[in-house]
Amino acid sequence: MKAGSLIAGVALLAGHAAAKQPNILFILTDDMDSHMEAMEHMPLLQKHLINEGTVFSRHYCTVALCCPSRVNIFTGRAAHNTNVTDVWAPYGGYPKVVREGINDDYLPHWLQAAGYNTYYAGKMWNQHSVENYNAPHVGGFNESDFLLDPFTYEYWNATMTRNGAPPVRYEGQYSPDLTADKAYDFLREALRHKDRPWFVAHAPIAPHGNVHFPYDESDETKQSKPGYAERHAHLFKDYKIPRGESFNPAEQGGVSWIANLPRLNDTVIAYNDEFQRSRLRALQSVDESTAALLQLLKDAGELDNTYIFYTTDNGYHISQHRMHPGKECGFETDVHIPMIVRGPGVPRGHVSEAVTSHTDIASTIMELAGRPLENTDGVPMPLSLEAEANARMEHVTIEYWGLAIPEGELGWYGDANMTDDYGSSAHAAINNTYKGLRVIGDTYSLYYAVWCTNETELYNLMEDPFEVRNLLDANGGHAAQANAFRIAGRSLDQVVSRLNALLVVLKTCARETCREPWRALHPQGDVATLEDSLAPHFDAFYAGQPNIYFTKCEIGYIAESEGPMYVNRFGGGIHQGYVPTNAKSAPENGDEVAGYDRKALKYLGPQHRISIWT
Ligand SMILES: *[C@@H]1O[C@H](CO)[C@@H](O)[C@H](O)[C@H]1NC(C)=O
Ligand SMILES: *[C@@H]1O[C@H](CO)[C@@H](O)[C@H](O)[C@H]1NC(C)=O
Ligand SMILES: *[C@@H]1O[C@H](CO)[C@@H](O)[C@H](O)[C@H]1NC(C)=O
Ligand SMILES: *[C@@H]1O[C@H](CO)[C@@H](O)[C@H](O)[C@H]1NC(C)=O
Ligand SMILES: *[C@@H]1O[C@H](CO)[C@@H](O)[C@H](O)[C@H]1NC(C)=O
Ligand SMILES: *[C@@H]1O[C@H](CO)[C@@H](O)[C@H](O)[C@H]1NC(C)=O
Ligand SMILES: *[C@@H]1O[C@H](CO)[C@@H](O)[C@H](O)[C@H]1NC(C)=O
């Protein structure tokens, strides 16, 4: 990884784009997939962004869950550093965002300080609700219109707060069209202020499932397929989820709760295909609004001075690995996601193979704004061919804490005996806490993960792109593949010893250690890739590293349960990982969050304020 040349590449780009600070249009969908052909079914996205910009074909989210992923995007910091790891209190959600100081120190504030006007329409945070929308107001935006819980995922009953005013209900209006209308208004407003560059975000809920949270105690959470507009109801009638090798397989791989899942029956498969058709239909509204936003830019003559980012918070699986609709896993379906950038100097019709992640977005945008960030965990994404040629990043840290929640009407993981205090009432899977590592080089493509149960996984995606053969599964009958496995001529055990040490570094990395993790192990700077580290003279060094493990399955970042936090340095001494002090996280006396029952995953309304001490 050569951070210096990346920055030089972008500087060159900025020079090319003229002295004026460019505008940023940011489109953030919710739960969009890359592996069930979502982008392929969006013709206007193809025409205006994919053909006119660069697709980042190896772009990853680092936590496959809305709120932690959005915090990752808007801070440029890994989830283990923000400590926003969930959608609900006490480990995540808007109150936690506020408590961690993020509401006062994140991308929109940084852009304003750089001279930008900032606007946001749609979904921002989870647990940002009709109860707490003004306590405090979301910071950093000149104008905003936010969807509010408990109505966020009701496609036909949105409630929103405009510029912090009391919530307004939009019963009967289609949410992705509604938020698009608000984004058009904001874009027109931004364009009126010719003296200042702007950042405009549209964050529709599509294609997230429809969720009705109970308004009172007699009511229940109801999950269903996403809503779509009548004008799209006729589309995709023949579509089926691609039947890849991981699609409801006859032989199940994986570890922990996934290993024990029963095969889905035909009723569920038919439901799941329709669920994905509904997602594709819901995305048509986003396809149209994205084209309409570009048309407004074109009409205003600003298209050539605007960078357009199109991405999503996390990916999605439906039927792969026998799972019901949902996310929260480390499989490619959940973490490998769409990312398209169009703008001045960005190659047109290009597919970039640079390895990038959501941790890089804030750095990328601030670099374009002419105010490079130094204190993030990411690096600017290479937006020119020159920068791309020098981008040698090979790793993405994937992390997750807590439950896996099945979505849709038939979602149920109870059959697999995975119920406990947290799981039972939500039909969720527990022990879904893990650390993962995606490593991609010229001759290798690996996913390595260690779970809170101490189970481990290694998939060789060069030969097993669907991640169905865990090479570390001693009982899985994969001995032949494991024996034949080689990278740079080295055996599975040697490769795993390197991945183990790299993951210990990355699970506690901050700033430069996240960007150049091999330096924590090899301060001399002679090792920059997995392949470099595999040299036989390092074998004893790696054999002496602490083994990664967990002592307990937690549903948040409890440092004591996450095993070793240091590695040995080559040449002597140790590298101590960074663990945030939890002083900021400690709830204040009397701090309350409105109306969520964490165990039941239920919104219970204002009458049920839960003290976060409980
Ligand atoms: C947007 O907010 C920034 C920061 O408060 C301020 O400097 C700027 O004047 C505002 N822009 C408009 C159009 O009000
Ligand atoms: C919208 O939400 C309100 C509760 O605030 C409820 O009374 C109403 O029935 C809902 N409408 C629909 C169409 O779901
Ligand atoms: C199929 O599976 C679902 C979900 O587990 C279950 O509710 C349903 O009864 C099953 N249908 C048949 C025909 O077995
Ligand atoms: C669930 O647990 C019960 C009792 O421990 C056992 O009888 C049953 O076979 C288990 N079911 C599965 C699917 O493992
Ligand atoms: C995982 O391994 C550690 C270290 O050997 C041990 O303390 C812990 O109990 C193990 N956890 C489980 C769930 O087996
Ligand atoms: C969850 O993990 C814990 C170890 O933290 C283990 O004791 C428990 O049996 C696991 N539960 C299930 C359902 O796998
Ligand atoms: C993360 O936040 C939780 C909830 O506030 C807290 O209990 C935990 O100690 C924090 N973890 C770290 C590493 O600061």
Side-chain angles (χ1 to χ4, degrees):
M1 218 298 305
K2 297 179 188 119
S5 26
L6 273 183
I7 288 161
V10 175
L12 205 133
L13 230 166
H16 169 98
K20 207 176 156 196
Q21 285 169 301
N23 308 309
I24 310 286
L25 175 62
F26 193 76
I27 298 163
L28 181 65
T29 56
D30 198 332
D31 290 356
M32 186 168 162
D33 62 89
S34 265
H35 291 254
M36 296 181 289
E37 305 172 336
M39 284 189 283
E40 288 78 352
H41 287 82
M42 297 177 72
L44 299 171
L45 191 76
Q46 296 283 339
K47 179 173 172 200
H48 297 293
L49 292 185
I50 294 176
N51 293 349
E52 299 295 325
T54 291
V55 173
F56 286 82
S57 67
R58 291 172 172 173
H59 187 82
Y60 289 83
C61 66
T62 67
V63 207
L65 187 63
C66 305
C67 187
S69 186
R70 287 163 191 246
V71 172
N72 181 221
I73 292 173
F74 294 123
T75 62
R77 289 154 62 210
H80 63 254
N81 290 331
T82 65
N83 198 10
V84 177
T85 59
D86 199 353
V87 289
W88 317 85
Y91 299 109
Y94 182 52
K96 175 73 161 163
V97 167
V98 171
R99 210 157 51 246
E100 291 294 334
I102 292 163
N103 194 41
D104 303 319
D105 187 14
Y106 69 140
L107 184 67
H109 282 299
W110 304 335
L111 282 164
Q112 282 186 336
Y116 280 65
N117 290 334
T118 56
Y119 307 85
Y120 197 101
K123 169 180 157 187
M124 186 80 200
W125 308 122
N126 297 79
Q127 218 182 330
H128 179 216
S129 75
V130 294
E131 284 295 297
N132 66 12
Y133 70 94
N134 59 356
H137 287 118
V138 169
F141 293 102
N142 288 80
E143 294 205 45
S144 60
D145 218 325
F146 298 118
L147 289 163
L148 296 176
D149 275 4
F151 306 101
T152 305
Y153 305 115
E154 296 210 14
Y155 274 81
W156 304 95
N157 206 8
T159 292
M160 303 185 74
T161 174
R162 190 177 186 94
N163 300 332
V168 174
R169 179 174 309 148
Y170 297 89
E171 195 168 358
Q173 294 194 46
Y174 184 61
S175 176
D177 289 348
L178 172 69
T179 55
D181 283 342
K182 291 170 182 296
Y184 306 149
D185 283 354
F186 288 152
L187 181 53
R188 289 191 192 99
E189 175 65 19
L191 289 165
R192 261 194 288 280
H193 298 277
K194 299 222 180 297
D195 54 323
R196 284 166 81 91
W198 47 260
F199 170 90
V200 172
H202 178 213
I205 53 167
H208 196 287
N210 193 88
V211 185
H212 165 82
F213 289 117
Y215 307 146
D216 59 48
E217 254 179 311
S218 64
D219 202 0
E220 290 205 324
T221 298
K222 290 187 200 83
Q223 305 219 44
S224 51
K225 58 195 166 79
Y228 45 80
E230 192 50 42
R231 66 185 187 280
H232 302 129
H234 65 287
L235 294 171
F236 314 127
K237 294 242 152 102
D238 298 328
Y239 169 92
K240 283 189 169 180
I241 296 169
R243 267 47 175 174
E245 234 187 312
S246 60
F247 185 90
N248 199 27
E251 271 182 55
Q252 179 75 332
V255 299
S256 191
W257 61 274
I258 296 166
N260 298 318
L261 290 176
R263 208 170 181 200
L264 303 171
N265 65 32
D266 290 349
T267 313
V268 176
I269 295 297
Y271 176 84
N272 286 356
D273 277 330
E274 183 59 21
F275 194 98
Q276 176 65 1
R277 284 179 209 120
S278 305
R279 286 164 45 86
L280 296 176
R281 289 174 195 136
L283 280 168
Q284 299 313 298
S285 166
V286 184
D287 203 37
E288 293 165 1
S289 64
T290 299
L293 287 165
L294 266 87
Q295 189 62 47
L296 284 174
L297 282 176
K298 202 171 169 196
D299 295 347
E302 284 290 326
L303 193 49
D304 292 340
N305 189 40
T306 303
Y307 287 88
I308 301 124
F309 289 76
Y310 182 101
T311 188
T312 188
D313 46 11
N314 50 258
Y316 212 69
H317 57 246
I318 311 180
S319 310
Q320 293 84 11
H321 307 278
R322 301 186 179 175
M323 293 190 286
H324 289 280
K327 54 256 185 185
E328 294 137 5
C329 295
F331 293 119
E332 290 289 274
T333 47
D334 296 36
V335 296
H336 176 225
I337 52 176
M339 166 56 87
I340 314 162
V341 186
R342 172 181 174 170
V346 179
R348 297 171 58 190
H350 177 60
V351 177
S352 168
E353 294 196 336
V355 178
T356 58
S357 84
H358 273 1
T359 309
D360 301 327
I361 292 176
S363 304
T364 310
I365 289 177
M366 292 311 296
E367 190 80 20
L368 291 171
R371 301 285 191 283
L373 295 173
E374 276 161 18
N375 285 325
T376 62
D377 301 330
V379 290
M381 295 162 56
L383 297 183
S384 68
L385 292 177
E386 298 90 315
E388 191 181 312
N390 290 315
R392 283 282 171 269
M393 183 79 94
E394 63 165 12
H395 65 269
V396 182
T397 319
I398 311 290
E399 39 196 0
Y400 195 82
W401 295 261
L403 307 177
I405 302 167
E407 301 175 12
E409 281 122 303
L410 304 179
W412 169 264
Y413 290 142
D415 290 342
N417 279 358
M418 290 169 301
T419 54
D420 79 344
D421 280 0
Y422 288 104
S424 56
S425 45
H427 309 165
I430 62 162
N431 287 358
N432 193 48
T433 296
Y434 57 82
K435 306 282 176 191
L437 177 55
R438 193 73 176 84
V439 186
I440 310 177
D442 290 339
T443 57
Y444 43 87
S445 178
L446 304 170
Y447 177 65
Y448 175 65
V450 178
W451 289 60
C452 63
T453 51
N454 289 341
E455 291 163 285
T456 53
E457 283 177 295
L458 179 65
Y459 297 106
N460 174 6
L461 282 89
M462 287 277 191
E463 289 178 3
D464 178 20
F466 292 98
E467 303 169 296
V468 293
R469 284 181 286 281
N470 176 12
L471 296 175
L472 300 178
D473 176 2
N475 306 314
H478 302 317
Q481 278 101 346
N483 287 339
F485 179 89
R486 290 284 179 283
I487 290 176
R490 307 308 312 281
S491 69
L492 184 73
D493 287 348
Q494 292 301 339
V495 172
V496 170
S497 72
R498 274 51 167 191
L499 296 174
N500 168 74
L502 184 61
L503 190 49
V504 176
V505 172
L506 285 170
K507 80 189 173 87
T508 52
C509 71
R511 298 173 293 274
E512 61 278 5
T513 311
C514 295
R515 305 191 288 255
E516 296 188 273
W518 291 108
R519 273 195 180 268
L521 292 151
H522 297 272
Q524 300 80 357
D526 54 338
V527 171
T529 64
L530 174 63
E531 191 163 353
D532 296 344
S533 77
L534 284 167
H537 64 273
F538 295 133
D539 288 358
F541 171 62
Y542 280 98
Q545 294 290 357
N547 253 322
I548 192 165
Y549 62 82
F550 287 79
T551 45
K552 196 169 167 226
C553 283
E554 307 277 6
I555 58 167
Y557 183 12
I558 306 303
E560 307 84 88
S561 302
E562 297 201 358
M565 299 287 186
Y566 74 95
V567 287
N568 299 312
R569 284 174 179 276
F570 192 76
I574 64 163
H575 170 85
Q576 187 64 52
Y578 173 78
V579 181
T581 88
N582 62 15
K584 275 188 301 181
S585 311
E588 284 159 27
N589 203 358
D591 198 354
E592 287 178 318
V593 291
Y596 277 87
D597 177 343
R598 182 64 180 74
K599 292 187 181 174
L601 299 181
K602 263 191 173 189
Y603 181 83
L604 294 173
Q607 69 274 32
H608 292 275
R609 288 181 167 274
I610 306 167
S611 162
I612 88 158
W613 294 104
T614 62

